[in-house]
Amino acid sequence: MNPEVVFIGLGNMGFPMAHNLIKGGFSVAGFDLLQSNVDRLIAEGGIQGVSLEQAVKSAKVVITMLPSSQSVKNVYLGEGGVFEQARPGTLLIDSSTISPEVAKELGKQAGERGMEMLDAPVSGGPVGATAGTLTFMVGATENGFASANAYLQKMGKALYHAGPHGSGQTVKVCNNMLLGITMIGTAEALRLGIANGLDPKVLTEIISKSSGNNWVLNACNPCPGVMEKAPASNDYAGGFGVDLMLKDLGLAVENALSTQCSVPLGANARNLYDMHSKAGNGKLDYGSIYQMLGKGS
Ligand code: NAD
C-alpha cells in the first residue's frame, strides 16, 4: 500500500508528530536512520514494507523532522533524495529547525521542480508534539500554506503564515534567541534576589505581577523548588536541552552575521550556553544555566 504521507526523522519530535497524523486518519510511512524508530511507528499503525524511494514517488506529502541544516540538505538534495524522487505537485514540509538561508534555497529549488515547499519549524517541544498542540511558524507561498493546513492541524493548534520561504525559520530563530536570553536574565535576577536573602518563591510571585514578568519565570522557572513541575526541580532533567538551545543560538548568530545585524546579547548568550555545554551539561535543561551563575553571597 502506498502511503499518503512520508515522514522522515522519527526522533523525539518526529515520532509523536507522525503518530498524530496516523491518529488523524492519514496513511503514513515513517523513515529514520534508526530502524527501532521505524518499527515503533509501524507498531502504532505506520505503513510497512515500502522503500523510501517508492514511498516518496507516490506520496502526496513528504514531511521532514531532522537534526540540522546539513541533514535536511542531504535528504532533499542528495543523490536519490526527495527532490529527485518526488513528482511535481508533491507537497514538501520541513519542520526541522535549520538556517533560514538553507530554507529559502530549498523553497526556491522545490518551486523550480513544480513543488510547494514549506519551512514549518515548531515550538512546543516533545510535550506539545505528543499532545498535538505545537505552534507552527511557516514560510511558504499562500497556496503552499493553504495546502498544508489539513496535515499541520493534526500536529499543532496554532498555525502561522509568517511570509515567503525562510520566514518560518527566521521567526523560530528570533523566538529562540529571545528565549535563551530571557532565561539567562531571569536566572540572574533570581540569583541577585536570593543573594540578598529573598525567598525565590516570593521574588517570583512579585516579579510575575510586575514589569519583569516573562514566560520563563512562570513556565520553567530555573530556580530549584520554585515550581514543582519545572525541570529545575527535577535536577534539570527533561525540558529543552542546553545543546538544542546552543544550536538555535548558533543559527541566530550565523544569520546575524549574514544580515549584518547586531545581536550582542544573543551572541553572549550563545557563548554562555557553549561554556555550560562544554562543562558537561549539554543534555540538561537550558534552565541549568542558573547553576553556572554560582551561589551568590
Ligand atoms: P532527534 O535527534 O530526537 O531526532 C532526529 C531524528 O532524525 C533521529 O531519530 C535521527 O536518527 C533521524 N535522522 C537523522 N538524519 C536522518 C536521515 N538522513 N534520514 C532519516 N532519519 C534521519 O531530534 P528532535 O528533538 O526530534 O529534533 C528534530 C528537530 O526539531 C531539530 O531540528 C530540532 O532543533 C527541532 N526541535 C526540537 C525540539 C525539542 O524540544 N526536541 C523543539 C523544537 C524544535
Side-chain angles (χ1 to χ4, degrees), residues 34-218:
L34 292 177
Q35 186 58 37
S36 54
N37 285 347
V38 177
D39 292 343
R40 244 177 104 207
L41 196 72
I42 290 169
E44 298 295 343
I47 306 287
Q48 60 180 321
V50 60
S51 72
L52 177 60
E53 287 75 16
Q54 203 186 333
V56 169
K57 273 194 172 95
S58 59
K60 274 195 187 163
V61 186
V62 176
I63 305 176
T64 42
M65 195 52 169
L66 296 161
S68 63
S69 299
Q70 192 55 54
S71 54
V72 171
K73 282 206 279 188
N74 291 346
V75 164
Y76 284 93
L77 300 170
E79 209 183 310
V82 173
F83 280 168
E84 263 183 34
Q85 305 291 342
R87 291 168 300 158
T90 309
L91 179 65
L92 310 175
I93 304 175
D94 178 41
S95 282
S96 328
T97 303
I98 63 164
S99 132
E101 287 83 359
V102 172
K104 251 182 239 168
E105 181 56 29
L106 291 174
K108 182 170 155 269
Q109 292 205 27
E112 288 163 4
R113 291 170 159 84
M115 293 179 260
E116 293 281 4
M117 181 157 187
L118 284 72
D119 47 292
V122 298
S123 182
V127 173
T130 304
T133 56
L134 293 169
T135 296
F136 280 89
M137 28 201 113
V138 177
T141 63
E142 291 288 349
N143 191 30
F145 183 64
S147 319
N149 188 280
Y151 306 96
L152 300 186
Q153 254 187 27
K154 301 289 182 211
M155 300 182 282
K157 71 162 194 235
L159 318 179
Y160 293 103
H161 187 197
H165 298 302
S167 307
Q169 296 295 352
T170 305
V171 175
K172 173 75 184 172
V173 158
C174 294
N175 180 74
N176 279 26
M177 183 177 79
L178 183 57
L179 178 66
I181 293 169
T182 306
M183 175 55 88
I184 297 171
T186 302
E188 273 186 20
L190 289 167
R191 281 290 192 194
L192 184 63
I194 293 164
N196 281 278
L198 282 176
D199 176 341
K201 281 191 179 169
V202 172
L203 181 58
T204 294
E205 193 184 336
I206 299 173
I207 295 179
S208 72
K209 297 284 180 295
S210 308
S211 49
N213 186 30
N214 67 73
W215 185 82
V216 161
L217 194 70
N218 297 306

Side-chain angles (χ1 to χ4, degrees), residues 217-280:
L217 194 70
N218 297 306
C220 46
N221 194 296
C223 177
V226 172
M227 289 178 60
E228 204 188 313
K229 295 212 165 123
S233 301
N234 185 26
D235 295 327
Y236 298 100
F240 186 59
V242 168
D243 283 346
L244 283 171
M245 177 52 82
L246 182 56
K247 171 195 159 185
D248 293 353
L249 286 166
L251 290 172
V253 171
E254 183 186 287
N255 184 268
L257 283 171
S258 72
T259 53
Q260 298 186 338
C261 178
S262 301
V263 289
L265 292 182
N268 260 322
R270 198 210 77 87
N271 286 337
L272 289 170
Y273 287 109
D274 186 45
M275 288 158 65
H276 191 48
S277 172
K278 288 196 170 103

